[in-house]
Amino acid sequence: MATLCFQSPSKPIFNFHPKTKPSKSLITKVSIFKPRATVQSQGLVIATEPEPVFTSVKTFAPATVANLGPGFDFLGCAVDGLGDHVTLHVDPSVRNGDISISEITGTTTKLSFDPHQNCAGIAAMATMKMLGIKSVGLSLALRKGLPLGSGLGSSAASAAAAAVAVNELFGRKLGNDELVLAGLESEAKVSGFHADNIAPAIMGGFVLIRSYEPLDLKPLRFPLEKDLFFVLVSPDFEAPTKKMRAALAKEIPMADHVWNSSQAAALVAAVVEGDVASLGKALSSDKVVEPKRAPLIPGMEAVKKAALEAGAFGCTISGAGPTAVAVIDTAEKGYEIGEKMVEAFSRFGNLKSVASVKKLDKIGARLIKSM
């Protein structure tokens, strides 16, 4: 058995030690703290360095919706049809134990080719380290299907696809917990130490992060016989995750904490019961994060109102934004809601936007080609 620990300086724990008797207003506040993550794993010890079982692999990892309203940093889900691709191959020209990024294409080419500064590179190196890869050099090509700063888990999709690619190339020795930790190392450096994107990107479906120390991931099974559609409306506006996290309050009123906790619990119940209407109601109920972030995204409050008036069961900000996400139980109705949301972004935010209607991705990051 082995223990892996990662700690991010961006997630300090806030401690308050009053010198005098605290006032009633202070007593009714709770601190937002940001923990480390560890994982206990029976299968992490790799006795001998594995050899490649393929010369080349291609993987895909889906877009994700983090937070889902009241589930800040502990709830997320994967959505179908959008995401990033990684092609990884054994490269004799790369120094043994190292990785080289050979190509970046797709929605953006602004990313660094330095694997230490690139989310895919960081996750790939972390996975190689877990596997003890020292005798082989690798070359990685990244095709971005997600724009940066979109609120759809762009960095997590790249990290997930890269981690899974390395794992597949060497015979799938690591499990989901280890792959999520590899992705978390990447997330900590580029967007913040949170698993609500990387966990569903790797595992698919809905995921509850029960704890970070130790890392405890709970897949939430949405019933197969139920229909759920996500209306995703992405405006032409970038909302960097670190900037949007900085806008959040360090303390919140106890009443808001209780409210958000109850709504997050209701959302989890709605997921496992397949109750899309209740899921939407809980999704729309955040009193802690959305009120701080919505004013930073032009037109967002009007977009949410337009979605609900058009018949959406619920609407909130996807991750850090600026994408707005609404939920409904039919694709046809989803397209109607999307049109109203696009109109609201244009009218009230003076922003162009694009709407899409997607299903839940229940698979997560996966191998799509090997040689």
Side-chain angles (χ1 to χ4, degrees):
M1 182 174 72
T3 301
L4 268 167
C5 301
F6 294 91
Q7 183 170 9
S8 169
S10 66
K11 288 271 187 173
I13 297 177
F14 297 97
N15 294 308
F16 179 66
H17 302 286
K19 294 181 179 180
T20 59
K21 184 178 180 180
S23 66
K24 183 178 180 181
S25 62
L26 283 175
I27 292 174
T28 58
K29 300 281 186 178
V30 295
S31 296
I32 298 179
F33 67 93
K34 289 140 187 185
R36 299 174 296 169
T38 62
V39 63
Q40 307 289 334
S41 174
Q42 296 287 344
L44 186 58
V45 176
I46 306 299
T48 57
E49 179 183 350
E51 295 184 359
V53 297
F54 304 112
T55 58
S56 176
V57 296
K58 184 176 183 180
T59 57
F60 170 81
T64 48
V65 174
N67 302 336
L68 296 169
F72 178 69
D73 275 6
F74 64 87
L75 284 172
C77 69
V79 294
D80 183 52
L82 302 171
D84 289 359
H85 290 86
V86 160
T87 301
L88 186 73
H89 67 269
V90 176
D91 190 341
S93 70
V94 177
R95 188 172 63 181
N96 290 344
D98 283 355
I99 189 164
S100 172
I101 298 178
S102 60
E103 185 178 37
I104 301 174
T105 58
T107 57
T108 181
T109 56
K110 296 190 297 182
L111 297 172
S112 174
F113 279 78
D114 180 353
H116 297 276
Q117 303 297 324
N118 181 289
C119 47
I122 296 168
M125 289 188 297
T127 310
M128 291 173 71
K129 185 176 181 180
M130 289 179 181
L131 291 169
I133 304 304
K134 299 177 181 178
S135 304
V136 176
L138 304 176
S139 181
L140 182 152
L142 172 64
R143 180 167 180 78
K144 291 293 298 176
L146 297 172
L148 303 179
S150 62
L152 292 172
S154 178
S155 61
S158 296
V164 168
V166 173
N167 194 40
E168 292 287 347
L169 191 72
F170 291 96
R172 202 181 296 177
K173 303 295 184 182
L174 301 176
N176 284 336
D177 284 0
E178 291 79 35
L179 294 175
V180 170
L181 276 176
L184 266 174
E185 186 165 344
S186 172
E187 290 283 83
K189 293 184 179 181
V190 299
S191 65
F193 196 78
H194 51 91
D196 47 351
N197 287 116
I198 189 65
I202 287 174
M203 300 168 65
F206 288 91
V207 179
L208 164 68
I209 296 90
R210 179 184 173 275
S211 72
Y212 281 87
E213 189 177 1
L215 185 66
D216 189 353
L217 306 172
K218 299 293 185 184
L220 305 175
R221 305 299 182 190
F222 187 82
L224 292 174
E225 69 275 11
K226 300 285 187 174
D227 289 324
L228 169 63
F229 294 89
F230 298 91
V231 184
L232 304 171
V233 181
S234 301
D236 187 12
F237 182 82
E238 189 170 335
T241 300
K242 288 185 177 180
K243 177 182 177 181
M244 299 301 279
R245 293 183 82 85
L248 303 181
K250 296 296 186 291
E251 292 184 338
I252 61 172
M254 180 62 76
D256 289 350
H257 164 66
V258 172
W259 171 263
N260 263 42
S261 297
S262 67
Q263 297 308 305
L267 194 149
V268 170
V271 169
V272 297
E273 292 171 357
D275 186 343
V276 183
S278 294
L279 192 161
K281 185 177 180 180
L283 184 91
S284 293
S285 66
D286 177 29
K287 289 186 177 181
V288 174
V289 176
E290 185 183 311
K292 296 294 184 181
R293 288 177 167 173
L296 303 179
I297 304 170
M300 178 58 74
E301 290 159 326
V303 169
K304 179 173 181 175
K305 182 180 179 181
L308 296 176
E309 289 179 349
F313 292 142
C315 180
T316 190
I317 302 169
S318 177
T323 295
V325 56
V327 293
I328 194 65
D329 57 0
T330 68
E332 183 179 2
K333 187 65 176 178
Y335 289 112
E336 294 176 9
I337 293 167
E339 289 179 4
K340 296 298 183 182
M341 293 169 72
V342 168
E343 290 175 6
F345 261 130
S346 178
R347 180 179 177 187
F348 297 98
N350 196 29
L351 293 175
K352 294 181 179 179
S353 59
V354 177
S356 60
V357 178
K358 301 295 181 182
K359 288 186 174 183
L360 184 70
D361 184 308
K362 299 180 180 180
I363 302 173
R366 61 264 202 185
L367 177 70
I368 58 175
K369 185 179 180 181
S370 60
M371 294 179 61

